[in-house]
Amino acid sequence: MILDEPTAALDPIAEDRMYRRYQEIVSGSTSLFISHRLASTRFCDRILLLDGAGIA
């Protein structure tokens, strides 16, 4: 599953619900979560920081 800024248009309550459901859906599989907000990645196992065309 690939999600690109999935919570950009959500209020904080809906965002929390989405994160909880996301954990259930991707459990036991690989997913890619793209976000400009570091706080949105608190549940991720690995975080890659992109800087220009490379990984910082």
Side-chain angles (χ1 to χ4, degrees):
M1 179 181 295
I2 299 174
L3 289 97
D4 186 0
E5 296 287 347
T7 61
L10 300 179
D11 62 72
I13 294 170
E15 183 176 357
D16 183 62
R17 278 191 228 135
M18 198 280 316
Y19 288 143
R20 291 176 192 275
R21 183 73 177 123
Y22 179 76
Q23 289 287 57
E24 295 171 12
I25 292 169
V26 300
S27 179
S29 62
T30 299
S31 66
L32 179 64
F33 186 91
I34 302 166
S35 179
H36 289 94
R37 294 179 21 208
L38 188 58
S40 295
T41 62
R42 65 184 179 271
F43 58 87
C44 297
D45 294 327
R46 293 187 183 101
I47 299 173
L48 299 177
L49 175 63
L50 301 179
D51 185 16
I55 297 173

